[in-house]
Amino acid sequence: MTSSKVPTLAARIDRFPIAGTFTISRGAKTEAVTVMAEVSRDGLTGRGECVPYPRYGETPEATLGALQAMRDAIAGGLTRQALQAAMPPGAARNALDCALIDLEAKTAGVRAWNLLDRPEPRERITAYTISLGSPEAMAAATAEAAHRSLLKIKLGGDGDGARIAAVRKAAPESELIVDANEAWTEANLEQNLAACAEVGVTLVEQPLPAGQDGALARIKRPLAVCADESVHDRNSLAPLRERYDAVNIKLDKTGGLTEALAMADAAQALGFEIMVGCMVATSLSMAPAMLITPQARFVDLDGPLLLARDRDHGLRYDDSLVYPPDASLWG
């Protein structure tokens, strides 16, 4: 390998088959399509992975193009701090931000959490996701995962009361969190929340569409409600204080770990509980998010568990326990 003091940026689209099908209220998919950024300098390479999110108009091809457009800036010495203003929040900036952090840590010979002056992450229980389906199908899938202590249940609107009742019957001992993915309406909001509360669900994630969630401030919420699509970065936090009890921090929304850590601090200061979440992706996407877990009440980093194969040197999962990354993967 030829070393160079001038940083270089490479990017590519990768595809990883999902084990079966992953279904939420917006549809189903059979593969995870990720975009990788690699920044190299002096014989070292930092890597970052992102998942373009169609919900926000992102595509793998456009994300790849946005990264490739940063090659000259990277060669010119663009820093991670300057990156925050050079690119908008989103998947592309996430991949590049995480690649730069990985390269900084390798160059300094320290772990990423030491570099960023954050607590060292420890192993945590991660949620395991049950895809949306009929009550019978979801109960069968839940029964296979009922030994896991934390399950995340995808719901989709009509019939959700029957779904969550069937799931609870199949997993009587597991802690349950629910993700409606914006599929509920003001008309069924209170009914669905009551059905969740009745079976002991701990948290409901994004029940109403972003921008149409004002009803959450007008009702008595019988359990904690978490913002996902309604929250992106620090600037989106303050208006949500009357509507939500928790926020889901995902690096593809914040545009990288740099903003995600700042957002976690700001969310805690405003009194929100924190969930650290993910898209369906490989361990390279999960690894930077592990740095948020010391502040998180809920950890939802099960993406690699849903894949037919992961990247080399992937995170260690011991059933539902997920461990911090080895330096051979990231950071």
Side-chain angles (χ1 to χ4, degrees):
M1 179 184 296
T2 301
S3 297
S4 173
K5 293 189 179 299
V6 177
T8 60
L9 169 63
R12 68 173 187 267
I13 296 172
D14 290 331
R15 298 176 184 273
F16 295 85
I18 291 173
T21 302
F22 181 76
T23 305
I24 65 172
S25 62
R26 284 189 285 271
K29 59 182 180 178
T30 58
E31 66 176 1
V33 183
T34 70
V35 182
M36 161 96 85
E38 295 181 324
V39 181
S40 300
R41 185 185 60 224
D42 288 340
L44 300 173
T45 297
R47 304 188 303 163
E49 178 184 274
C50 68
V51 180
Y53 199 3
R55 168 69 175 77
Y56 302 122
E58 295 178 330
T59 66
E61 294 75 18
T63 300
L64 178 64
L67 285 168
Q68 292 171 334
M70 298 302 293
R71 282 173 171 163
D72 287 347
I74 290 295
L78 181 75
T79 65
R80 177 171 50 87
Q81 292 75 18
L83 173 67
Q84 309 309 309
M87 296 183 79
R93 195 179 79 184
N94 174 33
L96 190 49
D97 182 70
C98 292
L100 288 171
I101 293 172
D102 189 27
L103 180 59
E104 284 181 47
K106 285 182 167 71
T107 301
V110 300
R111 296 309 308 267
W113 45 86
N114 300 126
L115 177 78
L116 301 174
D117 195 26
R118 309 298 293 202
E120 181 177 354
R122 305 292 182 184
E123 65 271 17
R124 290 291 303 272
I125 293 290
T126 178
Y128 181 81
T129 301
I130 304 296
S131 287
L132 176 65
S134 68
E136 295 77 17
M138 293 183 71
T142 301
E144 295 183 4
H147 62 285
R148 297 180 182 272
S149 57
L150 178 63
L151 297 177
K152 179 172 179 174
I153 313 304
K154 292 289 188 178
L155 296 182
D158 293 338
D160 278 349
R163 290 186 181 98
I164 197 62
V167 163
R168 172 50 84 197
K169 186 175 181 180
E173 303 300 325
S174 301
E175 182 177 11
L176 301 181
I177 56 180
V178 157
D179 188 0
N181 282 115
E182 305 181 279
W184 294 356
T185 66
E186 287 194 35
N188 64 27
L189 173 64
E190 291 184 272
Q191 176 185 347
N192 283 335
L193 285 175
C196 289
E198 184 176 349
V199 299
V201 170
T202 303
L203 182 85
V204 172
E205 195 178 340
Q206 198 65 45
L208 298 175
Q212 303 174 41
D213 51 5
L216 290 168
R218 300 191 295 268
I219 66 170
K220 183 176 181 180
R221 301 189 292 272
L223 71 165
V225 179
C226 178
D228 183 359
E229 286 85 355
S230 288
V231 67
H232 295 265
D233 55 16
R234 281 173 288 176
N235 295 329
S236 60
L237 286 170
L240 304 180
R241 295 177 71 181
E242 301 303 316
R243 304 176 188 183
Y244 294 96
D245 310 287
V247 293
N248 189 343
I249 299 177
K250 294 178 179 175
L251 273 61
D252 284 312
K253 291 189 302 178
T254 65
L257 180 59
T258 299
E259 174 62 24
L261 290 169
M263 180 181 171
D265 294 340
Q268 281 192 321
L270 290 172
F272 289 109
E273 286 194 314
I274 292 173
M275 172 189 287
V276 54
C278 69
M279 307 296 286
V280 183
T282 78
S283 286
L284 186 57
S285 282
M286 309 301 125
M290 284 296 296
L291 273 70
I292 305 169
T293 60
Q295 295 171 272
R297 163 65 176 86
F298 298 97
V299 175
D300 179 24
L301 298 177
D302 66 340
L305 296 178
L306 307 176
L307 300 178
R309 63 178 177 87
D310 194 4
R311 293 193 187 276
D312 292 341
H313 311 291
L315 292 179
R316 174 188 168 192
Y317 287 88
D318 183 4
D319 210 1
S320 288
L321 270 180
V322 57
Y323 289 78
D326 187 80
S328 60
L329 174 68
W330 183 88

